[in-house]
Amino acid sequence: MPNILVSNIGFGETSLASLEVLKSIGNVVLNKKGIRFNEQDFIEKISDTDILIAGTEKITRSVIGAAKNLKLIARVGVGVDNIDLDCALENKISICYTPDVPSESVPEFTISLMLNLIKGIAVSNQKMHEKVWHRPMGRMLSSMKIGIVGAGKIGSKVISLIKSISPKTEILFYDPYLESKEQTVKRDIEQLFHESDIVSLHLPLNDQTSGLVDNRLLGLMKKRSYLINTSRGGIVDETALYQALANNHLAGAAIDVFENEPYNGPLTELDNCLLTSHIGSLAQEVRAIMEDQVVEDVRRFIGGQFLIRPLDGFNFSGQQA
Ligand code: NAD
């Protein structure tokens, strides 16, 4: 039976049946540490691994180099920026993932951050716990312009949720690969940052988008506007964001994803920065579906069948594990 290493934290806790299936088709090693594997953890454990089931932990060239038998990386989630894709390709390692599932939960999460930010809910909560009666003045979505950067699966759903809660809200979008989105207005990126009261990021992290939201774009934002990032940390320059929040140019930000995770950096010092620990897609229902889908593809891969959800260009299945 193939050796299956599961670095993804908590795998099997929401879908016991899937874990049982996995155990019936491979020798499974789970991440018992309950903390994110670093390069050293991988190097110690991965030498005889055929199949890796991973979350967002970094799968670097050194990790792949140490994994001489690795044939499949099954990603529980959607972003693959944590994998050295050039190296995976050179080594003909197949990759599958679950691209459609988080598009149900991340939009809901994004809207909850948006409302939380403009109504001051987290700030009021924090003050109450300090036994201080503080009443921050809120804003109404209906009077705000919202700029969506990246109008793919998640961005589009965020747009439709805003429309259903607040039909009067004007929505702008920027996406270089899309011409139009119903009931929204396309802008170039500078205009979008300049005009929006809230900018929400829903684009992938890659060479073009790394550090995209920098001093310049943040400087273009309206005074007392808001930034939300539930996409990937490396897209926002965290030092520039810290400055924009510390000098109150921005009224607030809600950040779920960080350049280096787990995060405990300077943004934690700021009251106007709502921080969450990369939980945008974490929902029991979604997690169970992602685990089921991953196990289904692992089972097919072991059986020599084509993957159902391969990453484009990374489908070398048909080779038995
Ligand atoms: P998607 O591929 O469906 O959509 C991404 C969109 O971004 C596409 O329409 C693409 O054309 C657009 N895009 C690409 N480059 C761009 C650029 N330079 N500027 C503007 N737009 C650009 O992906 P998705 O499923 O909607 O995921 C969006 C983001 O959410 C990804 O970064 C993903 O990693 C992240 N995500 C986060 C969580 C979380 O837990 N916080 C969970 C799932 C996904």
Side-chain angles (χ1 to χ4, degrees), residues 6 14 77 79 145 170 176 197 206 210 233 237 247 254 256 305:
V6 184
T14 48
K145 261 192 202 173
E170 190 177 343
D197 297 289
N206 54 37
S210 174
D237 176 338
N247 66 23
D256 184 48
Q305 294 171 283

Side-chain angles (χ1 to χ4, degrees), residues 78-79 102 106 149-154 174-177 202-204 209 230-232 256-257 278 280-281:
V78 54
V106 180
V149 184
K153 290 184 287 298
I154 293 174
Y174 167 71
D175 189 318
Y177 306 104
H202 304 287
L203 66 170
T209 63
T230 58
S231 60
R232 280 293 179 267
D256 184 48
V257 284
H278 200 150
S281 67

Side-chain angles (χ1 to χ4, degrees), residues 219-247:
L220 288 176
M221 286 181 76
K222 277 184 183 171
K223 190 140 179 63
R224 309 297 296 157
S225 56
Y226 299 89
L227 179 77
I228 299 175
N229 187 12
T230 58
S231 60
R232 280 293 179 267
I235 294 168
V236 177
D237 176 338
E238 285 167 4
T239 310
L241 176 63
Y242 180 93
Q243 285 304 330
L245 288 165
N247 66 23

Side-chain angles (χ1 to χ4, degrees), residues 50-123:
D50 299 291
I51 294 171
L52 172 64
I53 297 181
T56 53
E57 45 282 358
K58 289 199 165 99
I59 302 164
T60 60
R61 185 167 280 276
S62 307
V63 170
I64 295 175
K68 297 291 176 222
N69 297 337
L70 190 61
K71 299 169 195 71
L72 173 68
I73 299 171
R75 169 78 175 88
V76 187
V78 54
V80 287
D81 47 276
N82 58 319
I83 304 172
D84 187 323
L85 294 177
D86 291 338
C87 186
L89 195 59
E90 285 161 26
N91 289 280
K92 286 202 158 35
I93 295 171
S94 295
I95 300 177
C96 61
Y97 65 149
T98 59
D100 297 324
V101 197
S103 55
E104 296 298 317
S105 50
V106 180
E108 241 180 57
F109 185 76
T110 304
I111 297 295
S112 63
L113 291 179
M114 199 174 278
L115 292 171
N116 203 320
L117 267 183
I118 67 169
K119 308 287 176 197
I121 295 171
V123 174

Side-chain angles (χ1 to χ4, degrees), residues 103 107 148-163 171 173 175 178 180-182 184 202:
S103 55
I148 303 293
V149 184
K153 290 184 287 298
I154 293 174
S156 302
K157 197 85 192 270
V158 170
I159 292 172
S160 53
L161 285 177
I162 298 167
K163 284 280 164 208
I171 305 181
F173 84 97
D175 189 318
L178 288 175
S180 65
K181 274 273 140 189
E182 230 175 289
T184 53
H202 304 287

